[in-house]
Amino acid sequence: AFQDCVKQLPERSLEFLRIRYAQNQSIEQISAKTGRSGGSVKSLYHRIRVKLGECIEHKLAVESRS
């Protein structure tokens, strides 16, 4: 379910996930690299996590009904 949900994210969100986790960048590094405030970057990651969580919950609920 997780990988399916990640594939559904907008390209911009995927790029931020790559920067954070594949490139192991800190919030401060991402903030400096993108010109966004630290709070804005944290907020973006929170929204991505919420969206992923909702998608995963939905997919698991659908699978359990099958």
Side-chain angles (χ1 to χ4, degrees):
F2 176 77
Q3 289 183 352
D4 290 338
C5 291
V6 168
K7 290 177 187 175
Q8 293 177 14
L9 289 172
E11 184 58 37
R12 181 173 148 262
S13 296
L14 289 173
E15 184 59 30
F16 272 90
L17 287 176
R18 284 186 204 105
I19 292 169
R20 177 79 167 129
Y21 298 107
Q23 297 176 16
N24 203 27
Q25 300 275 318
S26 70
I27 296 295
E28 293 77 20
Q29 290 169 316
I30 296 165
S31 175
K33 186 176 187 176
T34 62
R36 292 172 168 251
S37 70
S40 173
V41 173
K42 287 179 185 179
S43 207
L44 175 65
Y45 284 109
H46 175 75
R47 288 192 305 274
I48 292 170
R49 284 191 298 272
V50 167
K51 188 175 277 191
L52 281 174
E54 289 171 350
C55 178
I56 291 166
E57 283 181 18
H58 174 74
K59 288 196 173 290
L60 292 177
V62 168
E63 287 176 12
S64 71
R65 285 185 243 144
S66 301

